[in-house]
Amino acid sequence: LPGEEPSTTAATSTGTRRSGPHPGDWIARLEVPRVDLAATVLEGSDDATLSRAAGHIEDTALPGTTGNAGIAAHRDTTFRPVRNIRIGDVMTVTTADGIYDYRVDRTLIVNPEDVYVLDPTDRPTLTLVTCYPFTFIGHAPQRFIVKATLVAQRPR
């Protein structure tokens, strides 16, 4: 989509260049047809980003690349349908570079400090993160995690 490709470099405070998208840049479109989830994914997981879209978690792999790509969103807005995801569901991620299908391997519930779920992997992995329980009022005490592995890719 015009104007939605992620940046390849960004200036830093030292004037050097680093590779990767800028905060707020378009990263991908995430779709899980079985649960009617369709979400824009922007770079960053801060409150401003998550109030508008799902967010690519900083310092995780980009979707479609080797490693663990983390995507977070609010359970009561963007990721409301995530509560219905099942093992075996296919999640499609469309980036500027291609279309990637991930199959859900497992779901789990963890504490907020259990960031190991975002540890790097040696194969293309997608990890969705949202608050849990889904119907909890206020700041939820846990996180619902969806882990998926790349099963197919094609050009955009």
Side-chain angles (χ1 to χ4, degrees):
L1 301 171
E4 291 192 336
E5 286 79 25
S7 301
T8 55
T9 61
T12 65
S13 60
T14 61
T16 58
R17 314 275 297 164
R18 69 169 175 83
S19 181
H22 293 91
D25 281 352
W26 183 87
I27 298 295
R29 179 87 176 153
L30 169 66
E31 297 171 288
V32 187
R34 196 189 65 73
V35 298
D36 294 323
L37 172 63
T40 296
V41 181
L42 303 177
E43 177 62 20
S45 57
D46 57 282
D47 289 338
T49 301
L50 297 184
S51 70
R52 301 177 5 215
H56 170 251
I57 300 170
E58 301 87 340
D59 301 321
T60 67
L62 288 170
T65 65
T66 297
N68 189 1
I71 298 176
H74 290 304
R75 67 187 165 171
D76 51 359
T77 56
T78 307
F79 272 4
R80 181 179 299 270
V82 166
R83 70 188 69 207
N84 298 315
I85 283 181
R86 294 186 207 140
I87 292 170
D89 283 348
V90 173
M91 302 191 290
T92 300
V93 179
T94 303
T95 71
D97 300 322
I99 301 168
Y100 305 93
D101 292 330
Y102 293 84
R103 179 165 289 117
V104 175
D105 299 321
R106 64 184 176 133
T107 62
L108 59 155
I109 297 163
V110 300
N111 291 318
E113 58 274 8
D114 292 333
V115 294
Y116 70 87
V117 297
L118 296 172
D119 284 351
T121 58
D122 58 2
R123 59 185 181 169
T125 304
L126 185 66
T127 300
L128 306 186
V129 179
T130 196
C131 290
Y132 185 86
F134 292 109
T135 57
F136 196 82
I137 304 296
H139 294 290
Q142 294 177 303
R143 302 295 175 262
F144 185 78
I145 308 298
V146 177
K147 300 289 275 183
T149 304
L150 185 69
V151 293
Q153 64 185 61
R154 56 199 174 278
R156 183 165 171 196

